[in-house]
Amino acid sequence: MGLFSFIKEAGEKLFGSKDAQAATVELKQKPADPVTQEKVNQLNRAAADSIKAYIRKQNLDARDLNVTFDGATGTVSVFGTAADQATKEKIVLCCGNVEGVSAVNDQMSVTAKEPEAKFHTVVKGDTLSKIAKEVYGDAMKYQGIFEANKPMLSHPDKIYPGQVLRIPAA
């Protein structure tokens, strides 16, 4: 559990409409207006629903999964109980690797306790092989990183700067 930082400008473009991004603008313009506050709340709920749908699209789930979004801070909060540590971490990454999200407040628990994986933020020039060489001392162990990030990764060569990846223990 904890607060994880992400690069707000990088990630899946789930908030394709202007509505999800409008929550921050409207809140700053008229914070005392109850109509505006209700609109902001609606937009935040819509963004949270989009993130939750994205998690489910990745075939990830947790008991009592609940996702909230605060457009003013770009923070997602995620709650529920995952079956294992890997699923929990993948759900957190699904929440954070979304354009417009700068932090994830992880309030999830796990049924089966396991060691936590490390997270790595991809920078320009990174490849899974390069990351594997840095972390494990062996570039050929890139497949383990790829497998640890499925289904969010569909191909080992399709990573992008700002994306956060799970790096399991060797």
Side-chain angles (χ1 to χ4, degrees):
M1 293 202 310
L3 190 65
F4 296 92
S5 295
F6 290 84
I7 296 175
K8 192 172 187 172
E9 295 77 27
E12 296 290 325
K13 293 173 178 33
L14 300 183
F15 311 148
S17 71
K18 296 176 187 171
D19 286 348
Q21 296 170 345
T24 57
V25 175
E26 289 199 36
L27 188 59
K28 289 176 186 174
Q29 289 175 347
K30 305 175 193 172
D33 184 347
V35 174
T36 302
Q37 186 59 52
E38 180 55 33
K39 178 71 171 169
V40 168
N41 292 342
Q42 290 172 356
L43 296 172
N44 284 338
R45 280 192 299 273
D49 289 346
S50 293
I51 293 168
K52 190 172 181 178
Y54 176 64
I55 293 167
R56 294 234 163 96
K57 182 180 174 188
Q58 301 305 315
N59 294 318
L60 299 169
D61 203 5
R63 188 174 15 130
D64 301 322
L65 180 64
N66 186 29
V67 177
T68 63
F69 180 70
D70 178 1
T73 63
T75 301
V76 173
S77 295
V78 61
F79 308 86
T81 304
D84 54 50
Q85 187 68 28
T87 301
K88 173 189 170 184
E89 291 169 353
K90 288 179 182 184
I91 289 172
V92 169
L93 291 177
C94 279
C95 293
N97 284 327
V98 171
E99 186 177 60
V101 174
S102 60
V104 174
N105 181 11
D106 170 19
Q107 294 298 313
M108 294 188 67
S109 59
V110 294
T111 303
K113 299 282 184 191
E114 301 169 2
E116 294 181 9
K118 295 178 183 175
F119 288 172
H120 174 85
T121 302
V122 176
V123 296
K124 187 175 181 177
D126 269 353
T127 63
L128 292 185
S129 295
K130 181 179 176 185
I131 296 166
K133 177 75 171 164
E134 291 172 8
V135 174
Y136 304 128
D138 182 355
M140 295 310 293
K141 291 190 175 184
Y142 77 91
Q143 192 66 28
I145 298 172
F146 176 64
E147 291 297 325
N149 288 279
K150 278 184 168 180
M152 290 92 56
L153 290 184
S154 60
H155 191 277
D157 294 333
K158 293 190 176 183
I159 62 173
Y160 55 85
Q163 183 177 29
V164 181
L165 302 173
R166 291 182 65 243
I167 309 296

